[in-house]
Amino acid sequence: MADNVVQQSKKKKEKKSKGIWVLIVLVVLCALGIGYYIYTNYKTYHTYNIENKVDMEDTIESSYGMFQNKVVKYSKDGIMLLDNKGDGIWSRSYSMKAPKIIQKDNYLVVADIGGNSVYLFDRLGEVHDYTMPYPICDIEVSGQGVLAVVLEDDKANYIQLYDKEGKQIVDSTLTVQQSGYPLDIAISEDAMCMVVSYVTIDGIHIKNTIAFYNFGSVGQNANSNKYVGGFYYTDAVFPKVEFIDNHTACAYGDTKAVLYKVKEKPSDDTIEIPFDTAIRSVFSNNKYIGFIRNNEKQPEKGKYIVDIYNTKGSSVLREVVNIDYQKVKFDGNDIILTGEYECMILRMKGGEKFRGRFQNGITDFIPLDKKNQYLVIGNKSILTIKIK
């Protein structure tokens, strides 16, 4: 009887000891998992491996962008879609004085600003080419391949919409006396709404109008120009407008930004984001809008202030950075700032993800599909790198 009690007690101790060890192992594994998460999500990378290099002779004369996770190389003489090895997928020759590219979802546009030529491409190559009746001031494309073009001549400005087959959908004539001079234009993802920033000078007074147009049934019932609402400002000039998502537009001013909710018509409830110093750069994706300003109050801590807001106007990030940047853009939950020879990547969670220098210079710094892999467009080469 006594032996049974001893054996039962021994088994209980062994079971308890085993349970403690299992718990310890689980705690250690959990700690290692948390540590690995923190390490991979908050680590700052300073070096990189070059995984591929393509020598290019004309990177200075050419400009670069991204389309369908591929590199777009364009110049005054033509445009080409390249794979990550630098090989051409498709190309088109043209002659333009000031080519500008924009892309949205499955469509890429190159237009000759000040000229008359426009080319619309999908991922396989050309969809359509257009010759505009007047010089092009600005152009946008929707996710469905609809073009919104601002044209001008000596007498008036014209806003025209074309579908991807080349058919003209809308043709509006706007005189400077009636509406003002168009500074910028944007079209919604579904091509149903458009926003235009106009400026009017009356003597010494400047008025900026943010005008909205609808190309559906609401706009057809409104008037011949499809105008459905607008906002007037005398305290700011807005040189840039855009749709953040299909129902949110933003106007970027010199000292403030304004968010508009747009569902067929703009809502009267707007959100203003004021700044006490002038905005140096703006950038956005479909979730956030970003601003960079000079750090005038505490320049010793860094040259610039990076502010990020969501589409409700709430601040989600503020970082002070010290880099002589020339370009800035979102990459998912990261922010990429590139200078002539230096690149910095900020995390939306805060802090630096990467900072590095490239002796051959940086024309562009482009994220690729694989984690921590980037394409570096230099003065004489294209590098595929992985930061470490």
Side-chain angles (χ1 to χ4, degrees):
M1 186 73 177
D3 289 342
N4 289 336
V5 173
V6 171
Q7 287 180 357
Q8 290 178 0
S9 176
K10 185 177 181 181
K11 287 180 179 179
K12 287 181 180 180
K13 289 181 179 180
E14 289 177 349
K15 188 175 181 180
K16 184 177 180 181
S17 177
K18 185 177 180 181
I20 293 173
W21 278 109
V22 170
L23 181 61
I24 291 173
V25 170
L26 290 175
V27 170
V28 170
L29 290 175
C30 183
L32 288 173
I34 293 172
Y36 180 76
Y37 175 83
I38 293 173
Y39 176 78
T40 56
N41 285 273
Y42 293 93
K43 175 187 175 182
T44 300
Y45 301 84
H46 294 285
T47 60
Y48 55 88
N49 287 332
I50 298 176
E51 298 187 336
N52 189 55
K53 179 180 180 181
V54 179
D55 292 325
M56 306 289 284
E57 295 181 355
D58 59 347
T59 55
I60 296 177
E61 288 76 15
S62 299
S63 298
Y64 294 84
M66 289 295 288
F67 175 58
Q68 296 284 302
N69 293 318
K70 301 292 189 296
V71 180
V72 178
K73 174 186 175 185
Y74 67 101
S75 67
K76 295 180 180 180
D77 302 318
I79 186 169
M80 180 181 293
L81 187 69
L82 308 172
D83 61 23
N84 294 343
K85 296 180 180 180
D87 297 326
I89 300 173
W90 53 256
S91 64
R92 177 65 186 252
S93 297
Y94 53 66
S95 179
M96 293 187 182
K97 293 182 179 179
K100 173 185 177 180
I101 68 165
I102 54 172
Q103 66 91 21
K104 188 71 174 180
D105 296 339
N106 296 319
Y107 295 96
L108 171 72
V109 172
V110 56
D112 191 11
I113 303 301
N116 303 88
S117 299
V118 178
Y119 294 86
L120 175 68
F121 303 92
D122 64 9
R123 62 186 179 86
L124 300 177
E126 184 181 333
V127 173
H128 199 82
D129 64 281
Y130 311 74
T131 300
M132 297 299 159
Y134 305 103
I136 302 165
C137 291
D138 200 2
I139 188 166
E140 287 293 333
V141 65
S142 77
Q144 301 186 9
V146 174
L147 297 179
V149 191
V150 180
L151 310 173
E152 68 173 348
D153 65 7
D154 296 335
K155 298 179 180 179
N157 292 101
Y158 308 88
I159 295 178
Q160 299 183 345
L161 264 68
Y162 297 83
D163 65 19
K164 62 183 179 182
E165 305 301 330
K167 179 183 177 181
Q168 189 177 86
I169 304 171
V170 175
D171 185 7
S172 298
T173 301
L174 305 166
T175 65
V176 174
Q177 290 76 16
Q178 289 174 328
S179 303
Y181 184 82
L183 297 178
D184 197 25
I185 182 174
I187 188 169
S188 61
E189 294 175 3
D190 61 5
M192 295 300 294
C193 295
M194 182 174 68
V195 57
V196 184
S197 175
Y198 297 100
V199 65
T200 304
I201 300 176
D202 181 13
I204 61 173
H205 301 290
I206 297 177
K207 181 175 75 172
N208 205 139
T209 303
I210 306 298
F212 289 87
Y213 301 83
N214 182 278
F215 305 114
S217 58
V218 173
Q220 290 176 356
N221 295 330
N223 50 61
S224 60
N225 283 336
K226 320 296 184 186
Y227 175 81
V228 291
F231 301 83
Y232 307 95
Y233 302 91
T234 57
D235 60 341
V237 175
F238 298 89
K240 180 176 174 60
V241 292
E242 69 175 337
F243 275 89
I244 305 301
D245 57 43
N246 203 42
H247 298 295
T248 307
C250 186
Y252 300 94
D254 46 2
T255 58
K256 68 178 177 180
V258 184
L259 288 162
Y260 308 89
K261 289 299 178 183
V262 186
K263 191 174 182 180
E264 296 180 334
K265 293 182 179 182
S267 169
D268 291 333
D269 296 326
T270 63
I271 301 171
E272 292 196 0
I273 303 173
F275 295 103
D276 55 3
T277 56
I279 299 170
R280 190 175 188 269
S281 303
V282 299
F283 55 106
S284 66
N285 60 15
N286 60 359
K287 293 182 179 180
Y288 304 107
I289 52 177
F291 309 90
I292 299 182
R293 300 174 291 127
N294 291 333
N295 188 12
E296 296 180 355
K297 295 182 179 180
Q298 295 179 310
E300 69 279 0
K301 293 186 176 181
K303 293 182 179 180
Y304 306 113
I305 298 173
V306 179
D307 281 301
I308 309 297
Y309 293 80
N310 61 24
T311 56
K312 295 181 180 180
S314 299
S315 175
V316 295
L317 177 69
R318 172 168 289 187
E319 284 281 343
V320 176
V321 300
N322 197 32
I323 177 175
D324 292 320
Y325 79 98
Q326 296 170 339
K327 295 180 180 180
V328 58
K329 59 187 173 184
F330 278 109
D331 167 31
N333 289 324
D334 294 334
I335 304 158
I336 300 176
L337 299 98
T338 54
E340 187 176 2
Y341 291 96
E342 189 176 17
C343 176
M344 172 190 287
I345 303 176
L346 295 176
R347 289 187 172 93
M348 283 292 295
K349 301 171 185 177
E352 289 185 17
K353 177 179 179 179
F354 171 73
R355 186 160 188 157
R357 293 186 63 85
F358 298 85
Q359 61 181 8
N360 290 327
I362 307 173
T363 301
D364 208 346
F365 195 88
I366 302 167
L368 297 176
D369 286 340
K370 293 183 180 179
K371 185 178 180 181
N372 293 336
Q373 192 179 62
Y374 299 88
L375 207 65
V376 183
I377 312 297
N379 293 331
K380 295 182 179 180
S381 64
I382 299 177
L383 303 178
T384 302
I385 69 165
K386 185 169 186 178
I387 62 175
K388 62 177 186 176

